[in-house]
Amino acid sequence: MSSDFPAHPELGTVVVGVDGSPSARTAALWAAEEAARRGQSLCLVHAADTDRRALFVRAETLQAIRAAGRDLLDETAAAVQKGHPDLAVVKELSKLEPVAGLASTAGRRGTIVVGNRGLGGFAALMLGSVGLGVAARATVPVIVVRDHGDRPETGVVTAAVHGASDLNWLRVAAAEAEVRKASLRLLSVWNVFTHVGSVATMLDDLDEIAQTRVREVREIADQVRHSSPDLSVSHHVETGTSTPGILVDASAHTDLLVMGSEHRALGVAPALGRVTHVVLHHAHCPVQIVPSGFTSWERREEQ
């Protein structure tokens, strides 16, 4: 396996969507903790969508919308800085709709944080909440936060890995563990059903496939350890018949679950894959989705 593992990550500015909902407030408070850990500023964004609304509402209404947005940003900033008085907080009233507004503010290096409103069922799969829409379309990492009250920290960051191609985004998971002073657990799910396609598949064949997965994950873990020698890294391959179910169960024992993007075509718009969609709706901890092509770091020069 190649040793070209990305190094020297830059966990950029934290951008969080603010819309007045309880889930958005929870996300803003969580994002403040994340920004403080990174030593970065926090950008609060309220996407007022005034560019589109200007087509069918009066000027006075637009002024009221902007005023309400500024008040909401001020209130959220005050709540954030109550817990983090030294944190640099930037307030932005965007003219765009929420997904575009957050993406525009994050640029190429930021991390977007959004609340998950718990939408479920087929309607959510088709239409999506703001959180799902951002996660499906963003080109930067997106963290979706669910409110689980005062959940105690575990000191673990878990990355859901498939194979060597995950090295393109796995450095973000390692960096998240580093800033938390947590350990990193690489978890790979070996789904038996995906390998039993015909009666010709023998038990010996399945065992060989499973052992190959174990070797791949071990090699990935070695790459991470080589790049981050001070980081505690463990790896585990779990066999089961429900990949999302295993990941949801694992999320109950970790502070952050990190996944690579798993986009699928759905009509004319991008959509999240089934596993990602299920995990985002049911995880017990914040979930970070990292696009496979995200490269907000410099590669270490080979000596």
Side-chain angles (χ1 to χ4, degrees), residues 26-293:
T26 296
L29 296 176
W30 189 94
E33 293 279 355
E34 176 75 4
R37 279 190 292 261
R38 297 183 178 194
Q40 295 278 4
S41 61
L42 174 67
C43 184
L44 306 176
V45 178
H46 177 67
D49 198 14
T50 50
D51 277 354
R52 181 184 62 86
R53 291 180 177 184
L55 300 175
F56 55 86
V57 300
R58 296 182 301 175
E60 294 82 357
T61 303
L62 290 177
Q63 290 177 359
I65 291 172
R66 295 188 186 102
R70 285 190 288 269
D71 289 343
L72 177 59
L73 288 169
D74 289 342
E75 293 168 4
T76 306
V80 162
Q81 293 192 303
K82 183 177 180 180
H84 298 276
D86 297 327
L87 182 65
V89 178
V90 178
K91 297 174 289 186
E92 179 171 332
L93 183 63
S94 174
K95 298 178 180 180
L96 305 176
E97 54 86 18
V99 175
L102 289 167
S104 176
T105 302
R108 295 189 302 168
R109 294 180 178 271
T111 296
I112 300 173
V113 178
V114 291
N116 186 309
R117 299 188 184 189
L119 294 177
F122 188 67
L125 179 64
M126 293 296 293
L127 302 176
S129 66
V130 170
L132 291 174
V134 171
R137 290 167 50 183
T139 58
V140 297
V142 175
I143 301 176
V144 180
V145 178
R146 297 176 63 87
D147 186 5
H148 289 284
D150 295 328
R151 185 174 179 269
E153 292 186 355
T154 65
V156 178
V157 170
T158 299
V161 300
H162 297 282
S165 62
D166 291 333
L167 288 171
N168 290 331
W169 61 263
L170 191 54
R171 189 65 183 100
V172 174
E176 291 284 8
E178 288 171 337
V179 299
R180 286 171 169 76
K181 295 180 173 57
S183 62
L184 177 65
R185 182 190 189 212
L186 308 185
L187 174 62
S188 181
V189 180
W190 188 71
N191 193 323
V192 177
F193 283 171
T194 63
H195 297 282
V196 184
S198 69
V199 293
T201 304
M202 305 299 291
L203 290 178
D204 288 345
D205 297 328
L206 292 176
D207 183 66
E208 182 178 349
I209 294 170
Q211 291 304 314
T212 298
R213 172 66 67 86
V214 171
R215 287 194 298 270
E216 288 178 348
V217 176
R218 182 170 58 244
E219 291 175 358
I220 293 170
D222 288 342
Q223 296 259 17
V224 180
R225 294 187 187 101
H226 178 74
S227 176
S228 303
D230 295 329
L231 180 63
S232 175
V233 181
S234 63
H235 61 279
H236 179 63
V237 176
E238 185 160 343
T239 302
T241 58
S242 172
T243 299
I246 291 173
L247 294 178
V248 169
D249 288 344
S251 72
H253 309 288
T254 191
D255 295 328
L256 180 68
L257 177 62
V258 186
M259 306 174 66
S261 60
E262 185 204 11
H263 294 169
R264 304 285 179 82
L266 184 63
V268 296
L272 296 173
R274 181 185 67 87
V275 172
T276 305
H277 192 274
V278 172
V279 171
L280 285 177
H281 275 338
H282 299 288
H284 302 284
C285 71
V287 179
Q288 183 175 43
I289 308 299
V290 185
S292 59

